[in-house]
Each structure stands twice: as C-alpha cells, then as structure tokens.
Amino acid sequence: MKYLVIGNGARESAILWKLRQDEPEAVLYCLPGNGGTARIAENVPISPGNQEAVADFAEKNKIDLTIVGPEQPLVEGIVDIFRQRGLAIIGPDKATAQLEGSKAFAKDFMKKYRIPTADYAVYGSAEAAQTALENWKYPFVIKADGLAAGKGVLIVENEAEAVDGLNQIMMAKKFGTAGDKVVFEEFLSGIEASLICFVDGHTILPMESARDYKRAYDGDKGLNTGGMGCFSPNPILSDKAIEAEIKEQILNPVLAGIQAENMDFRGILFIGLMLTETGVKVLEFNVRLGDPETEVLLPRLKTPLVQVLWAVYQQKLSEIKLEWSSEACVGVVLAAAGYPEDYETGKAIKIADELKDEMIFYGGTVGTAEHLLTAGGRVMVTAALGKTRAAARKKAYQIAETICFEGKWFRRDIADIED
Ligand code: AMP
Ligand code: GLY
C-alpha cells in the first residue's frame, strides 16, 4: 500500500513510524516532511496549502490513503478536494473542520447539543466586545475565533488587560482574520486533560489517555509552547467514574451532534477537557491528532493504525477494538536554544549509531537523512516504552542525553509525577 502523510512535525514522524511498523513493505510519502522524515519516507516538496497540487500528487502516484497531520489543510478544505476526486483521505470536510477552525462555531455546537463547557458569548466587532466588558467578571478568557497557532487565547485579570487583548486581536489584527470575531468565556479552574478519539460518523472511539506539558520550563513555568513532552497513560483519566461521565456527558452528545448536523467526520477528534469541581467540561475541539500526544500514544497502540484508519474511512469503526500495550510511554521534546522565543537554527545534529532502533521522532530538522541540521524550535521527540512510567522516563531521557546539537535543551520533569 502507498500512504501519504501531510505535515512536517514530530507527530507526522510518529505516524510514519507506526505505518512502517504495521506494514514494513508500505511505500511512505511525507508532504512536505522534514530532514528527519526522509529517514523513513520519501519527502514530497509541495506546500500543503497548494491543495490541488497535493491532490494531483496523490492521484498520479496512486496513493491508497492520505492522512492529514495538522489542522490548517483540514480547515482550508483539503478533504473536500480529495473527495471530489475520489481519493481516500482521513479527516473531516471543511464545514466540519470548523469545530477547530472557529471557536464560536464549536461553542454553538456544544451549546446546541448540551455538551458541558464554559459559559460564553460571541462578539463580531471591537465595539460590541468593548461594550460587553462591563458584564464580565475577572478573570475571564478572550479567544480569537479562528486559527491562531495556539496563541489566540488570553486569560485576562483586569480591564486594562482585556482592552489591550481586544485591541491586539480585533484592531491590530495580530492573528489576521482569525480576530474578526472573539469569544468571551467564563474562566474554569481544574485539571486539564486531553482525549483523542477516532470518529467515523457512527462511532466515536477514544484512544488511551495522555498528558501533555505545555509550558516551556520545569515546574510548568515560562511561556506556553506547542508541548515540551508527554506521557501515556494519564492516571487522571483512568478513573472509571470520570470515564463514564465523559462517555455520557461528552462523547455521546458529540456523536449525536455530528449525526444531527450531517457532518462528514471521518477522522480524529481531539477533545481538550477541564476536570472542574462541577464536572468535566470541554475547553476546545481539535480535528487532528495531538502533538506530542501522538508520539506517546502510537507506540502503545498494538492494533495496526492502518486497520483503524481504513475502518474510519469505510465507516466500520464499530468493528474495531483498540488494543493497547500495558507499558507506559514517555516522550521528551528536544528544543533549540532560544525556543519558545527566537531560536537558533542550522546546528548539526549527531545521533549515535547505537540509537538507530530507538524511537526518535523528527520535527524541526532539514538536510539529508545522514546530515541533519536543526531548523525549528522543537527539533525532535525522544520516546520510550517501559513496564512502568519511571522506566520509560529513564530511557527516554537517556536517548535525549545521547543526541547532540549545539544549544539542545529539554524539560527535566516530564512524567515525573506521583501515582
Ligand atoms: P484552547 O485553545 O481553547 O484549548 O485554549 C488554550 C488553553 O487556554 C487551554 O489549554 C487552557 O489552558 C486555557 N483555557 C482555555 N479556555 C479556558 C477557560 N474557559 N478557562 C480556563 N482556561 C482556559
Ligand atoms: N498538544 C496539544 C495539541 O496538539 O493541540
């Protein structure tokens, strides 16, 4: 079989790794890929934004199944283009991808289908939003409606911060048209968790749990990042009562909503949750796999990913039972000097031969498979399985220590928790 993975991060690198494990003979392409993905797949130098060219490539090369990593191509409608041409692809269509592409759309969906979430209001102009400030108690949350690379969410403590935030989002258009509307939300406190599910329109099948570390530095200090490490399973979501609550209060109504709205959703739904004192609430939806969650979930998935993805595509997910390794998996992000602010690039990466069988998932890298250079803030993820979380952690850190590039740094406290 021939598979095309769209994207260029460590998440896509982990998808390729799993496909290779499942089907050693498979022909793998990554579009556009990065220096490290060239070790496992053939990189395709086409921009994912050039959707007709991507579909042309899939058609000409007789790709059996295309898997989309990041949200942008989904929100821009790549699935619709593939469908029109009869090409098999995993992901929601453009209208459905609004669950991630518009926070107002997602909140209205949650309200309509009674999915527990923070109270909210949507404002379509700076004046309306400014006027509404007097109705909101601090702290509350201001979100740019559209995609803002995870940076469009502000927790505002006072009026000055709120006015400044609104100016940036709606007047200065810091995130472009993503700031044409804003959502104001009640501030929720509690413990965050994420749940990633396969969806085929008839069935919603959650994966095992994972925990992501979003802040840059140890002890959850510093700026928010794309994620500095992760582990699975996450004991917080292993509680049976919480699992049942999530199924009844969230997964069932989400599926009912997808069906009632006739959404073409054959893909992945990532549900950001807040475990509050008054129950589990949804913070956000994403319509793709998480990064770095994927890097610790796929190594634990015993069921061939391709089998699950074909079931998603053919709407036969009800026939699938996911099998998981009982081992824990821990992933550590190796970052470039300066990340998450301006970072250095172009540093030679040295990976000792004895690491060739280890799980190293490549993100910000360029060059050839033999001569890799750093090219992004999050350069790679080193992952390891272990009988216990502590054993997996020890090994993931050993690999992280062994890899060399100038300025390399990583959080030291990933998966360092009490049970
Ligand atoms: P989102 O992109 O909507 O998930 O928001 C990004 C992050 O902002 C979340 O992971 C939370 O840490 C925080 N956040 C979002 N919405 C809320 C809320 N209503 N209350 C508290 N924190 C929130
Ligand atoms: N790790 C969070 C995300 O992928 O959105």
Side-chain angles (χ1 to χ4, degrees):
M1 288 279 175
K2 288 182 168 181
Y3 300 101
L4 171 64
V5 175
I6 297 178
N8 65 351
R11 166 182 51 204
E12 289 73 31
S13 181
I15 296 170
L16 291 163
W17 171 88
K18 175 67 174 153
L19 294 174
R20 178 63 79 221
Q21 298 267 312
D22 294 345
E23 263 185 55
E25 306 304 318
V27 178
L28 302 178
Y29 296 97
C30 194
L31 184 154
N34 63 57
T37 57
R39 294 185 163 208
I40 185 166
E42 185 177 323
N43 285 343
V44 181
I46 295 176
S47 159
N50 192 351
Q51 303 202 330
E52 293 291 348
V54 177
D56 287 344
F57 175 85
E59 207 166 326
K60 268 200 208 108
N61 291 278
K62 302 198 167 34
I63 300 296
D64 292 290
L65 188 64
T66 297
I67 301 144
V68 188
E71 62 278 10
Q72 191 85 33
L74 294 167
V75 171
E76 289 172 1
I78 197 159
V79 168
D80 307 59
I81 288 176
F82 271 59
R83 292 241 196 288
Q84 282 157 19
R85 298 210 200 175
L87 298 165
I89 188 164
I90 298 296
D93 69 359
K94 185 175 183 175
T96 308
Q98 288 297 299
L99 285 172
E100 176 163 2
S102 163
K103 294 194 186 278
F105 179 92
K107 293 294 281 191
D108 291 347
F109 177 90
M110 290 185 234
K111 186 174 173 190
K112 186 165 176 190
Y113 295 98
R114 298 173 189 278
I115 297 157
T117 189
D119 287 339
Y120 74 104
V122 180
Y123 304 102
S125 71
E127 299 74 53
Q130 301 269 15
T131 313
L133 284 179
E134 64 191 48
N135 306 328
W136 287 80
K137 280 206 204 73
Y138 297 93
F140 71 92
V141 187
I142 300 182
K143 298 183 176 182
D145 177 54
L147 293 184
K151 299 193 176 75
V153 175
L154 305 172
I155 294 167
V156 292
E157 305 281 347
N158 52 51
E159 192 177 338
E161 284 182 19
V163 169
D164 183 50
L166 283 178
N167 282 341
Q168 300 231 16
I169 296 173
M170 299 198 92
M171 314 284 278
K173 296 279 180 200
K174 190 171 174 191
F175 309 111
T177 54
D180 287 352
K181 279 191 237 171
V182 287
V183 178
F184 283 10
E185 260 184 47
E186 164 200 9
F187 175 80
L188 298 177
S189 42
I191 301 173
E192 276 192 72
S194 36
L195 189 65
I196 305 178
C197 310
F198 295 102
V199 187
D200 72 354
H202 302 302
T203 303
I204 182 162
L205 188 60
M207 299 177 79
E208 284 267 281
S209 55
R211 173 165 162 199
D212 173 18
Y213 289 75
K214 286 196 171 119
R215 297 293 198 94
Y217 308 126
D218 287 15
D220 287 333
K221 304 248 163 36
L223 293 172
N224 258 325
T225 70
M228 294 302 295
C230 206
F231 68 82
S232 173
N234 179 356
I236 287 164
L237 284 187
S238 309
D239 180 281
K240 288 280 168 229
I242 290 187
E243 217 174 87
E245 181 183 344
I246 290 175
K247 185 163 192 313
E248 267 163 46
Q249 305 281 320
I250 297 171
L251 300 184
N252 290 346
V254 164
L255 186 62
I258 288 172
Q259 292 175 340
E261 300 290 322
N262 264 324
M263 288 175 162
D264 181 355
F265 201 148
R266 284 181 264 164
I268 312 284
L269 180 67
F270 172 129
I271 310 177
L273 299 168
M274 185 74 94
L275 280 54
T276 74
E277 275 179 0
T278 55
V280 183
K281 299 194 176 174
V282 175
L283 285 179
E284 64 159 347
F285 293 129
N286 298 317
V287 293
R288 49 156 179 86
L289 286 165
D291 188 357
E293 286 87 345
T294 305
E295 293 92 304
V296 298
L297 285 167
L298 293 186
R300 296 191 58 226
L301 180 62
K302 286 189 176 167
T303 317
L305 180 63
V306 288
Q307 194 182 324
V308 187
L309 296 179
W310 278 118
V312 165
Y313 183 68
Q314 294 164 340
Q315 300 188 285
K316 290 183 177 165
L317 204 47
S318 62
E319 295 172 15
I320 297 281
K321 189 172 175 323
L322 298 178
E323 277 196 62
W324 295 93
S325 160
S326 59
E327 291 191 308
C329 190
V330 173
V332 178
V333 173
L334 308 195
Y339 181 79
E341 299 196 71
D342 285 345
Y343 50 79
E344 295 179 347
T345 58
K347 306 293 177 194
I349 301 170
K350 287 195 211 78
I351 302 174
D353 274 352
E354 74 244 27
L355 297 183
K356 70 179 188 324
D357 295 326
E358 305 298 352
M359 293 188 287
I360 302 171
F361 303 128
Y362 299 93
T365 57
V366 287
T368 61
E370 293 73 33
H371 299 286
L372 279 184
L373 299 175
T374 66
R378 291 189 302 161
V379 177
M380 60 181 80
V381 174
T382 61
L385 289 161
K387 284 212 163 42
T388 60
R389 186 167 54 241
R393 174 170 195 274
K394 191 167 169 209
K395 185 150 184 226
Y397 273 106
Q398 270 166 1
I399 307 169
E401 296 282 3
T402 314
I403 291 171
C404 300
F405 59 86
E406 195 186 313
K408 174 190 84 175
W409 67 276
F410 47 84
R411 269 183 72 156
R412 304 267 164 184
D413 63 346
I414 304 301
D416 187 12
I417 59 156
E418 304 279 324
D419 268 313

